[in-house]
Amino acid sequence: MKPETSCLNTKAIVDFVRDAKPGKLHLLWKPLEGKIPDSENPEAFLSDHNNWISIDVCRRIMEAAKEATSDDMAVYKAAFESTRQKKLGYMERIFVRTFLSPKHGFAKVQKINDKYNRSKRVETVFVGNDRALIRLHWFDNLPLTRDFCLMNKGIYQAMFTVWDLPPAIIEERQCFFEGAPYCEYEFSWQKKSTWRYFFGSRRAKKQIHDSLIEEMEADKDLIKQKYEQVTQLNVELEEKIAYLISLQEAGQAVVSILDEQSLTQTIMNLLTTVIGFKRAILFMVDEKGQRLRLVQVSGVMDDLAQSLEGYEISLDRMSNILVRVAATGRPTFVKDVGKAGLRKENVVLHTFQPKNFAAAPLIARNKVIGVLAGEMPEDRVKTTEPDLNLLMAFSNQIAVAIENARLYRDLEKSYLSNLQSQKMEAVGNLAGGIAHDFNNILQAVLGNVSLLLFDFDEQSPHFPKLKQIESASERASGLVRQLLTFSRKGESQPRPLDLNSEIKEVNKLIASTIPKMIDIELQLDPELRMIDADPVQVNQILMNLAVNARDAMPEGGELVVGTKNVVLDEQFCRAHSGLRPGGHVMLWVSDTGDGIEENVLDHIFEPFYTTKGPGGGTGLGLSTVYGIVKGHNGHIKCESERGVGTTFKIYLRALIRTEQPLAQENGDEFLSTRGTETILLVDDEAGTREYGKELLQGYGYTVLTAKSGEEALETFGRKGRRIDLVILDLIMPGIGGKRCLEEMLKVNPNVRVLITTGYADSNLVGETLRAGARDVLHKPFRAHEMAKMIRRVLNEKSAPDTTAGKRDRALRIVG
């Protein structure tokens, strides 16, 4: 559920339980499980009025407070005492600003409520000098209880102490929680004398002044810490930008070299100067695709290089780590060779004796054509490990360059035009491979800068520095966009993962890796829920389990990969550490091999544990899978029976809607982008539709969704009169966004359509705008950018719709 109440309210409960029953304070944290990051301190989170939680979470915290104190009136007492002791400092400041008068304070009660609460509407029926009548209209779609009424009574009764008056006398005339349409309170209080009012005003203003200074001092260290964090992120960003430029220049250099011998020498130099390898080695797959052949080394004495001249490795030797890199198409890094369990007899390891090494496949045209490997300096490995994503992007660049040189050697000038397209593809591979890393850094920088800018005004000495950081981040974002636009590649943004789609893609690699005598069957749940996972690591899980199954069936058999939705109860989760009750996705990989001995099952996930003979394996495959699953807060178990086979079951938590606030703008900007119109959101990506729907609903809109142009036209035909705006993805299967727009305009030439696109062809975007779209929103976009554009498009004047009568006829033509 989305947040509806500020943690200003839970702070009062935390303070009360800490004073009354400090030993049971931990009971208040349980409702937050899964709602905030594990690294977040729950007490600090619930005591920060800037944080918001849902009514459901707040209700459970209230129940926990009553349980901790064994007092059914704990919520009322917490609210009363917190207000009386002026721990709810914002109330005092607001009431003083309203002329230190209860009468004027009641006139502002709705504004105060809206600032910290979204669960009710407050109606001031009558207010006088010593009496008032108000009504609380609770929203009936929320899981509210009597405790929310008691909390408000406690606050209202004690708030008169702000004016140095005794607590008010409250009569509850009607109660929503006893069947009435609202809660109605009648207040009566002691009227303040003129002299008491005057001296109370002066004393209150001094108290506010002192409290504000105290709060500023308390926040100073936090602001300083945030500023230092942003500064450090900016330094890292600048380093990444410099690295990106170096990689771009290196990529442009290698794709321009068409002589294969000169190219390999240049590649080895770049591996040491740009990537930072201390020593490097390059293998290529031979023409028959059966062996890895050493072609170049760098950073070693000539006699060592000559001793390995002509060295080859059979691609059937899966015990060799370089062969596994070639087979899986995945990079790897071994931090400590001595402890990695690798064969010491290996010729390359014996000759070079590296302390560590990173290896990456060279992939061109979806085919591994070689492997590069290198050793990092020891001092650098102690501080940071190589970025395998960047290494993979660079290796792809090298692979394409080598392929280009080979094509030039074979085809000469007749194939030059194709060489040019390969160059562009190489740059695209480089840009697409590193854009994800950059966007993560940029988001961290921009997010923290935005928070800090709210803490400083333009007169602050820190304000110009923060603006410089923001400007530098925007320039970096522009650099990434230019690279992606140049290469026509779109970045893979962090988003929910469709496990079924990942399995289908990896299955292509599995099918080419395991012997043909093993049959592969997919049993995928078509209604499978999304998960939040790293696709690279998910691929690694599938490949490792598939290779493990292959080794268990040397004579052939059947490999089954399946998925399904499951709901785990508390009993199951107690028996399997790391799991929480609720919806999960189960992935299983099953084989018909010989099975695993019972005494071996307890050890299969231990690093370096293997039952295979020398050269048969490192024992790292299943331990890697185990680590990845645990890193995703999941669980893996193995079921095996001798003579029948083995099944690995992996449980990953199904994706749920975020409970974080939908907008971070200030109040005025947020209100200026809200609306009540109806919007049709069209996108073929389920994750985008779900995020967009929740985002727009958070701004107050009514949202309809469609997953294709065809479905959008059908919805538009039925509900077109109610739809005020269509947000239309440009690139979709089927009729696509442009034709969908054209058909909608046939039905209603005045329809407002806003198109969204990632890195699509600029010509197509221009054609769509000329066809009648109001504007274009480029992905990725920020929430407030989308909200502002929607509001602007909706506020544009449009001629009356005179074509409603043509609606049915036009849509029948499309169908």
Side-chain angles (χ1 to χ4, degrees):
M1 302 179 68
K2 68 180 182 180
E4 295 101 0
T5 182
S6 166
C7 285
L8 185 72
N9 300 308
T10 55
K11 181 182 185 302
I13 298 175
V14 171
D15 291 341
F16 181 77
V17 175
R18 186 192 298 109
D19 294 340
K21 297 286 183 179
K24 295 188 177 182
L25 192 61
H26 65 278
L27 296 177
L28 304 185
W29 316 150
K30 190 172 182 180
L32 284 181
E33 292 181 359
K35 310 298 182 183
I36 62 175
D38 294 338
S39 59
E40 183 86 49
N41 183 302
E43 181 174 358
F45 182 87
L46 291 177
S47 301
D48 187 345
H49 70 271
N50 293 311
N51 296 327
W52 284 67
I53 57 175
S54 68
I55 286 296
D56 181 60
V57 172
C58 186
R59 174 184 59 80
R60 288 190 283 143
I61 291 173
M62 291 175 173
E63 293 292 336
K66 293 191 292 185
E67 177 185 350
T69 59
S70 301
D71 187 350
D72 289 340
M73 296 298 289
V75 176
Y76 165 80
K77 293 176 181 179
F80 184 91
E81 289 301 318
S82 185
T83 306
R84 184 180 65 83
Q85 297 174 22
K86 299 181 176 60
K87 292 183 179 180
L88 300 178
Y90 77 93
M91 289 189 60
E92 185 174 9
R93 290 193 292 273
I94 291 175
F95 285 128
V96 167
R97 288 176 185 146
T98 55
F99 310 108
L100 293 163
S101 164
K103 180 177 180 179
H104 290 90
F106 271 106
K108 301 291 185 179
V109 70
Q110 178 62 50
K111 181 177 179 180
I112 299 170
N113 175 80
D114 291 345
K115 188 174 180 64
Y116 297 95
N117 203 295
R118 301 171 187 156
S119 62
K120 65 182 182 298
R121 179 176 60 85
V122 182
E123 176 189 5
T124 303
V125 180
F126 165 79
V127 58
N129 292 326
D130 58 0
R131 293 180 67 251
L133 182 68
I134 66 170
R135 293 171 180 168
L136 306 184
H137 297 268
W138 301 95
F139 300 152
D140 55 10
N141 61 332
L142 300 175
L144 298 161
T145 63
R146 174 75 174 172
D147 286 327
F148 289 90
C149 176
L150 293 175
M151 171 162 273
N152 279 269
K153 288 180 67 176
I155 293 173
Y156 288 139
Q157 189 168 16
M159 71 181 183
F160 291 87
T161 61
V162 172
W163 295 288
D164 294 328
L165 294 174
I169 299 174
I170 299 180
E171 178 185 352
E172 186 175 8
R173 300 174 60 174
Q174 296 190 68
C175 182
F176 174 81
F177 301 98
E178 294 179 357
Y182 43 72
C183 288
E184 185 175 86
Y185 303 144
E186 183 175 359
F187 298 84
S188 60
W189 63 87
Q190 178 181 324
K191 189 176 179 181
K192 217 171 187 180
S193 68
T194 303
W195 285 105
R196 189 175 181 182
Y197 176 89
F198 175 75
F199 287 112
S201 172
R202 294 179 62 86
R203 182 170 63 254
K205 288 181 180 178
K206 183 179 184 305
Q207 291 174 349
I208 292 170
H209 178 268
D210 293 342
S211 67
L212 287 175
I213 292 177
E214 183 179 347
E215 290 179 11
M216 290 173 64
E217 288 294 327
D219 290 342
K220 185 168 64 176
D221 291 339
L222 178 60
I223 293 174
K224 181 180 178 181
Q225 182 181 2
K226 286 185 177 180
Y227 179 78
E228 291 174 350
Q229 290 174 351
V230 172
T231 302
Q232 179 60 32
L233 286 171
N234 188 51
V235 172
E236 295 176 5
L237 176 62
E238 290 178 350
E239 294 175 353
K240 287 286 186 179
I241 292 174
Y243 195 25
L244 170 62
I245 293 173
S246 298
L247 286 176
Q248 182 187 9
E249 293 174 349
Q252 291 174 345
V254 295
V255 296
S256 64
I257 300 174
L258 297 177
D259 178 72
E260 192 167 358
Q261 183 176 359
S262 299
L263 175 61
T264 55
Q265 293 175 350
T266 302
I267 288 171
M268 304 312 291
N269 291 333
L270 292 175
L271 288 175
T272 55
T273 58
V274 177
I275 298 299
F277 283 157
K278 178 181 177 183
R279 296 181 290 181
I281 189 167
L282 177 65
F283 286 84
M284 299 301 299
V285 177
D286 65 3
E287 294 180 358
K288 296 182 179 180
Q290 296 177 349
R291 308 182 74 81
L292 281 175
R293 178 173 51 88
L294 188 148
V295 296
Q296 193 71 265
V297 296
S298 68
V300 298
M301 301 296 291
D302 291 341
D303 56 342
L304 287 178
Q306 291 174 1
S307 68
L308 287 175
E309 187 174 350
Y311 178 70
E312 294 183 342
I313 311 171
S314 173
L315 287 173
D316 292 333
R317 287 179 54 189
M318 292 301 296
S319 60
N320 186 285
I321 192 168
L322 297 181
V323 173
R324 292 200 297 274
V325 170
T328 61
R330 299 292 176 190
T332 188
F333 176 63
V334 179
K335 188 172 185 178
D336 191 336
V337 173
K339 298 180 180 179
L342 301 177
R343 291 176 63 248
K344 296 181 180 179
E345 300 80 7
N346 183 286
V347 176
V348 176
L349 294 179
H350 179 74
T351 302
F352 292 109
Q353 298 183 351
K355 302 294 184 181
N356 64 80
F357 72 87
L362 305 178
I363 302 175
R365 298 186 178 186
N366 298 320
K367 181 181 178 181
V368 175
I369 65 172
V371 175
L372 63 84
E375 181 183 13
M376 305 292 292
E378 291 186 57
D379 56 345
R380 181 173 173 184
V381 172
K382 291 179 180 179
T383 58
T384 181
E385 295 184 0
D387 190 326
L388 293 184
N389 288 329
L390 293 178
L391 178 60
M392 191 67 189
F394 189 65
S395 68
N396 286 339
Q397 186 88 334
I398 291 173
V400 174
I402 293 174
E403 190 74 1
N404 284 350
R406 290 176 173 179
L407 288 171
Y408 184 79
R409 179 195 62 194
D410 296 336
L411 301 177
E412 294 287 340
K413 295 181 181 180
S414 63
Y415 211 58
L416 287 178
S417 60
N418 189 55
L419 280 174
Q420 182 64 21
S421 66
Q422 292 295 317
K423 293 178 186 179
M424 296 305 100
E425 181 182 353
V427 176
N429 287 335
L430 174 65
I434 62 178
H436 173 74
D437 189 32
F438 267 82
N439 281 332
N440 281 340
I441 298 173
L442 288 172
Q443 180 158 350
V445 174
L446 289 172
N448 282 282
V449 167
S450 297
L451 290 175
L452 284 173
L453 285 173
F454 279 104
D455 294 328
F456 295 97
D457 56 30
E458 295 185 4
Q459 283 71 41
S460 169
H462 300 304
F463 190 88
K465 299 177 183 177
L466 292 172
K467 295 300 289 185
Q468 289 177 6
I469 296 174
E470 185 180 53
S471 177
S473 301
E474 293 291 350
R475 289 198 302 272
S477 177
L479 173 61
V480 175
R481 284 197 301 272
Q482 289 172 14
L483 286 171
L484 292 172
T485 302
F486 171 71
S487 60
R488 300 178 184 176
K489 296 285 183 180
E491 180 197 4
S492 179
Q493 296 284 355
R495 60 184 176 84
L497 187 67
D498 183 348
L499 183 57
N500 284 348
S501 297
E502 288 297 318
I503 291 173
K504 292 174 184 177
E505 287 298 317
V506 177
N507 184 50
K508 300 174 185 177
L509 182 58
I510 293 175
S512 64
T513 302
I514 67 176
K516 300 297 182 183
M517 55 190 175
I518 297 178
D519 295 325
I520 304 175
E521 180 182 357
L522 302 183
Q523 298 179 6
L524 307 180
D525 186 349
E527 303 296 327
L528 193 70
R529 297 174 64 183
M530 307 286 280
I531 61 173
D532 198 11
D534 181 349
V536 173
Q537 293 187 338
V538 169
N539 290 353
Q540 191 173 0
I541 288 174
L542 294 167
M543 285 303 306
N544 283 2
L545 292 181
V547 170
N548 188 76
R550 178 205 64 189
D551 294 343
M553 300 181 289
E555 303 299 327
E558 184 178 10
L559 171 64
V560 180
V561 180
T563 59
K564 71 176 181 178
N565 295 315
V566 295
V567 177
L568 304 183
D569 57 23
E570 290 186 358
Q571 181 178 357
F572 183 93
C573 294
R574 282 196 299 268
H576 301 85
S577 62
L579 292 175
R580 297 195 304 271
H584 283 70
V585 166
M586 184 177 77
L587 161 69
W588 82 86
V589 178
S590 179
D591 66 64
T592 57
D594 294 333
I596 304 174
E597 296 286 353
E598 186 174 353
N599 63 334
V600 175
L601 275 176
D602 294 335
H603 303 283
I604 59 174
F605 296 118
E606 295 175 4
F608 312 119
Y609 182 87
T610 178
T611 58
K612 302 172 185 176
T618 63
L620 292 173
L622 291 180
S623 63
T624 299
V625 171
Y626 181 87
I628 293 173
V629 172
K630 287 299 181 182
H632 283 74
N633 296 318
H635 178 77
I636 180 172
K637 69 176 183 176
C638 178
E639 299 173 353
S640 187
E641 183 178 347
R642 292 294 292 174
V644 177
T646 302
T647 299
F648 288 89
K649 294 181 178 179
I650 296 173
Y651 299 89
L652 298 171
R653 191 160 185 84
L655 194 64
I656 58 176
R657 292 190 303 172
T658 179
E659 294 192 7
Q660 297 300 320
L662 293 179
Q664 300 295 331
E665 298 88 2
N666 60 50
D668 293 339
E669 186 175 1
F670 179 73
L671 291 175
S672 69
T673 55
R674 292 180 62 83
T676 58
E677 291 90 345
T678 298
I679 296 175
L680 172 59
L681 176 63
V682 188
D683 201 297
D684 62 307
E685 291 289 336
T688 302
R689 291 196 305 275
E690 293 170 2
Y691 165 79
K693 182 177 180 179
E694 185 171 358
L695 172 67
L696 294 173
Q697 287 177 339
Y699 281 99
Y701 296 103
T702 299
V703 183
L704 308 173
T705 62
K707 62 177 178 293
S708 65
E710 291 85 346
E711 184 178 343
L713 290 174
E714 191 274 333
T715 302
F716 191 77
R718 291 185 293 104
K719 301 182 178 181
R721 292 182 179 275
R722 293 172 45 201
I723 297 172
D724 302 290
L725 174 68
V726 179
I727 300 177
L728 181 63
D729 189 26
L730 188 56
I731 306 299
M732 295 184 295
I735 66 172
K738 182 173 179 292
R739 186 181 168 196
C740 180
L741 167 68
E742 293 169 346
E743 297 299 336
M744 286 182 176
L745 289 170
K746 291 178 182 178
V747 178
N748 179 10
N750 297 315
V751 61
R752 292 181 173 92
V753 178
L754 175 64
I755 62 171
T756 62
T757 181
Y759 299 97
D761 188 342
S762 59
N763 293 328
L764 179 58
V765 173
E767 291 173 4
T768 308
L769 290 172
R770 288 190 293 272
R774 299 299 180 95
D775 210 336
V776 56
L777 185 62
H778 291 282
K779 299 177 182 178
F781 48 79
R782 300 176 180 177
H784 70 275
E785 293 173 345
M786 183 182 192
K788 286 181 179 179
M789 186 173 290
I790 288 173
R791 195 64 262 160
R792 179 175 54 77
V793 171
L794 285 171
N795 290 341
E796 291 177 355
K797 293 183 179 180
S798 178
D801 183 358
T802 60
T803 60
K806 301 179 182 179
R807 185 183 311 276
D808 294 338
R809 178 165 55 87
L811 288 177
R812 282 196 293 271
I813 293 174
V814 173

